Short mmCIF file of all heavy atoms in Angstrom, two decimals:
data_model
loop_
_atom_site.label_atom_id
_atom_site.label_comp_id
_atom_site.label_asym_id
_atom_site.label_seq_id
_atom_site.Cartn_x
_atom_site.Cartn_y
_atom_site.Cartn_z
N SER B 117 0.85 -1.19 -0.04
CA SER B 117 -0.05 -0.03 0.06
C SER B 117 0.85 1.24 -0.07
O SER B 117 2.16 1.18 0.20
CB SER B 117 -0.93 0.00 1.19
OG SER B 117 -0.11 0.11 2.37
N LEU B 118 0.23 2.44 -0.19
CA LEU B 118 0.96 3.68 -0.15
C LEU B 118 1.74 3.86 1.14
O LEU B 118 2.92 4.22 1.18
CB LEU B 118 0.08 4.87 -0.29
CG LEU B 118 -0.44 5.10 -1.78
CD1 LEU B 118 -1.53 6.21 -1.77
CD2 LEU B 118 0.68 5.57 -2.59
N THR B 119 1.16 3.60 2.30
CA THR B 119 1.79 3.75 3.52
C THR B 119 3.00 2.75 3.75
O THR B 119 3.98 3.04 4.33
CB THR B 119 0.79 3.66 4.75
OG1 THR B 119 0.04 2.41 4.52
CG2 THR B 119 -0.23 4.87 4.75
N GLN B 120 2.80 1.45 3.30
CA GLN B 120 3.81 0.54 3.44
C GLN B 120 4.98 0.91 2.56
O GLN B 120 6.12 0.73 2.94
CB GLN B 120 3.24 -0.95 2.98
CG GLN B 120 2.34 -1.50 4.08
CD GLN B 120 1.59 -2.75 3.46
OE1 GLN B 120 1.34 -2.85 2.24
NE2 GLN B 120 1.27 -3.68 4.35
N LEU B 121 4.71 1.40 1.29
CA LEU B 121 5.79 1.86 0.53
C LEU B 121 6.52 2.98 1.10
O LEU B 121 7.85 2.99 1.12
CB LEU B 121 5.20 2.39 -0.85
CG LEU B 121 4.89 1.27 -1.96
CD1 LEU B 121 4.20 1.99 -3.19
CD2 LEU B 121 6.21 0.70 -2.43
N GLY B 122 5.85 3.91 1.73
CA GLY B 122 6.52 5.04 2.44
C GLY B 122 7.42 4.62 3.51
O GLY B 122 8.56 5.09 3.69
N THR B 123 6.92 3.62 4.32
CA THR B 123 7.72 3.11 5.48
C THR B 123 8.97 2.37 4.93
O THR B 123 10.02 2.54 5.49
CB THR B 123 6.89 2.14 6.31
OG1 THR B 123 5.65 2.85 6.73
CG2 THR B 123 7.61 1.56 7.48
N ALA B 124 8.83 1.63 3.83
CA ALA B 124 9.92 0.83 3.37
C ALA B 124 11.00 1.75 2.79
O ALA B 124 12.13 1.50 3.00
CB ALA B 124 9.42 -0.08 2.26
N VAL B 125 10.58 2.78 2.07
CA VAL B 125 11.54 3.77 1.53
C VAL B 125 12.32 4.39 2.58
O VAL B 125 13.54 4.60 2.55
CB VAL B 125 10.83 4.79 0.65
CG1 VAL B 125 11.84 5.92 0.21
CG2 VAL B 125 10.31 4.13 -0.63
N LYS B 126 11.65 4.93 3.64
CA LYS B 126 12.32 5.68 4.70
C LYS B 126 13.34 4.75 5.50
O LYS B 126 14.44 5.13 5.78
CB LYS B 126 11.25 6.12 5.77
CG LYS B 126 10.52 7.34 5.33
CD LYS B 126 9.36 7.74 6.32
CE LYS B 126 8.56 8.87 5.75
NZ LYS B 126 7.41 9.11 6.67
N ASP B 127 12.92 3.41 5.71
CA ASP B 127 13.79 2.53 6.31
C ASP B 127 15.10 2.24 5.54
O ASP B 127 16.19 2.33 6.04
CB ASP B 127 13.04 1.26 6.65
CG ASP B 127 13.90 0.14 7.15
OD1 ASP B 127 14.59 0.45 8.21
OD2 ASP B 127 14.00 -0.91 6.57
N LEU B 128 14.86 1.93 4.25
CA LEU B 128 16.03 1.60 3.44
C LEU B 128 16.97 2.78 3.16
O LEU B 128 18.09 2.66 3.25
CB LEU B 128 15.46 1.00 2.12
CG LEU B 128 14.92 -0.40 2.09
CD1 LEU B 128 14.20 -0.71 0.70
CD2 LEU B 128 15.95 -1.40 2.38
N ALA B 129 16.29 3.95 2.92
CA ALA B 129 17.12 5.18 2.63
C ALA B 129 17.95 5.59 3.88
O ALA B 129 19.13 5.89 3.80
CB ALA B 129 16.21 6.27 2.23
N GLY B 130 17.30 5.47 5.11
CA GLY B 130 17.97 5.77 6.35
C GLY B 130 19.19 4.85 6.59
O GLY B 130 20.35 5.27 7.00
N ARG B 131 19.00 3.54 6.31
CA ARG B 131 20.05 2.63 6.54
C ARG B 131 21.16 2.69 5.45
O ARG B 131 22.33 2.43 5.72
CB ARG B 131 19.53 1.20 6.59
CG ARG B 131 18.78 0.91 7.99
CD ARG B 131 18.51 -0.54 8.23
NE ARG B 131 17.40 -1.01 7.37
CZ ARG B 131 17.58 -1.97 6.52
NH1 ARG B 131 18.75 -2.53 6.26
NH2 ARG B 131 16.57 -2.44 5.82
N ALA B 132 20.74 3.21 4.32
CA ALA B 132 21.70 3.40 3.26
C ALA B 132 22.68 4.56 3.67
O ALA B 132 23.90 4.45 3.37
CB ALA B 132 21.06 3.65 1.85
N ARG B 133 22.09 5.58 4.13
CA ARG B 133 22.91 6.75 4.48
C ARG B 133 23.71 6.56 5.79
O ARG B 133 24.84 7.11 5.89
CB ARG B 133 21.93 7.94 4.79
CG ARG B 133 21.21 8.47 3.52
CD ARG B 133 20.59 9.83 3.76
NE ARG B 133 19.83 10.23 2.58
CZ ARG B 133 18.54 10.08 2.37
NH1 ARG B 133 17.77 9.51 3.26
NH2 ARG B 133 17.95 10.44 1.18
N SER B 134 23.36 5.64 6.59
CA SER B 134 24.13 5.25 7.75
C SER B 134 25.06 4.02 7.53
O SER B 134 25.66 3.56 8.52
CB SER B 134 23.20 5.01 8.97
OG SER B 134 22.44 3.90 8.75
N LYS B 135 25.06 3.58 6.33
CA LYS B 135 25.94 2.45 5.83
C LYS B 135 25.63 1.16 6.60
O LYS B 135 26.44 0.31 6.88
CB LYS B 135 27.45 2.83 6.09
CG LYS B 135 27.93 4.02 5.31
CD LYS B 135 29.38 4.23 5.59
CE LYS B 135 29.83 5.49 4.89
NZ LYS B 135 31.22 5.81 5.12
N LYS B 136 24.32 0.98 6.95
CA LYS B 136 23.87 -0.21 7.62
C LYS B 136 23.06 -1.15 6.71
O LYS B 136 22.57 -2.19 7.16
CB LYS B 136 23.05 0.06 8.86
CG LYS B 136 23.78 0.93 9.93
CD LYS B 136 24.97 0.16 10.46
CE LYS B 136 25.71 0.93 11.58
NZ LYS B 136 26.95 0.24 12.09
N ILE B 137 22.92 -0.72 5.48
CA ILE B 137 22.08 -1.50 4.50
C ILE B 137 22.89 -2.84 4.03
O ILE B 137 24.10 -2.69 3.93
CB ILE B 137 21.73 -0.62 3.34
CG1 ILE B 137 20.59 -1.42 2.47
CG2 ILE B 137 22.86 -0.36 2.45
CD1 ILE B 137 19.86 -0.44 1.60
N LYS B 138 22.20 -3.89 3.80
CA LYS B 138 22.88 -5.11 3.41
C LYS B 138 22.86 -5.15 1.95
O LYS B 138 21.98 -4.60 1.25
CB LYS B 138 22.04 -6.28 3.94
CG LYS B 138 21.91 -6.28 5.42
CD LYS B 138 20.90 -7.48 5.94
CE LYS B 138 20.69 -7.49 7.38
NZ LYS B 138 19.75 -8.49 7.78
N PRO B 139 23.85 -5.85 1.32
CA PRO B 139 24.03 -5.99 -0.14
C PRO B 139 22.77 -6.58 -0.79
O PRO B 139 22.38 -6.07 -1.91
CB PRO B 139 25.29 -6.86 -0.27
CG PRO B 139 26.03 -6.72 0.89
CD PRO B 139 25.03 -6.49 1.99
N ASP B 140 22.09 -7.51 -0.20
CA ASP B 140 20.94 -8.15 -0.85
C ASP B 140 19.79 -7.23 -0.95
O ASP B 140 18.76 -7.48 -1.57
CB ASP B 140 20.57 -9.50 -0.25
CG ASP B 140 20.17 -9.30 1.26
OD1 ASP B 140 20.36 -8.22 1.79
OD2 ASP B 140 19.80 -10.33 1.87
N GLU B 141 19.77 -6.13 -0.13
CA GLU B 141 18.77 -5.13 -0.10
C GLU B 141 18.99 -4.13 -1.21
O GLU B 141 18.17 -3.19 -1.42
CB GLU B 141 18.64 -4.42 1.17
CG GLU B 141 18.18 -5.32 2.34
CD GLU B 141 18.22 -4.68 3.62
OE1 GLU B 141 19.21 -3.97 4.02
OE2 GLU B 141 17.19 -4.78 4.36
N MET B 142 20.12 -4.30 -2.02
CA MET B 142 20.35 -3.31 -3.15
C MET B 142 20.45 -4.13 -4.41
O MET B 142 21.11 -3.67 -5.36
CB MET B 142 21.59 -2.56 -2.84
CG MET B 142 21.47 -1.58 -1.71
SD MET B 142 22.92 -0.55 -1.46
CE MET B 142 24.12 -1.72 -0.72
N GLU B 143 19.92 -5.38 -4.45
CA GLU B 143 20.05 -6.19 -5.66
C GLU B 143 18.67 -6.65 -6.23
O GLU B 143 17.73 -6.66 -5.46
CB GLU B 143 20.83 -7.39 -5.36
CG GLU B 143 22.30 -7.18 -4.91
CD GLU B 143 22.91 -8.43 -4.31
OE1 GLU B 143 22.32 -9.40 -4.31
OE2 GLU B 143 24.08 -8.29 -4.00
#
């Protein structure tokens, strides 16, 4: 849903900027 998409984007973008994102989350 729209709200689920918004939550997912914020979570992934935040962890990408703090270098905590996993490689399989960018593939």
Side-chain angles (χ1 to χ4, degrees):
S117 67
L118 282 171
T119 52
Q120 288 173 326
L121 276 170
T123 302
V125 170
K126 286 176 186 173
D127 174 55
L128 288 170
R131 287 193 286 118
R133 293 189 180 101
S134 62
K135 301 180 181 179
K136 298 298 182 183
I137 195 166
K138 299 174 184 176
D140 60 356
E141 293 175 314
M142 295 185 285
E143 297 169 359

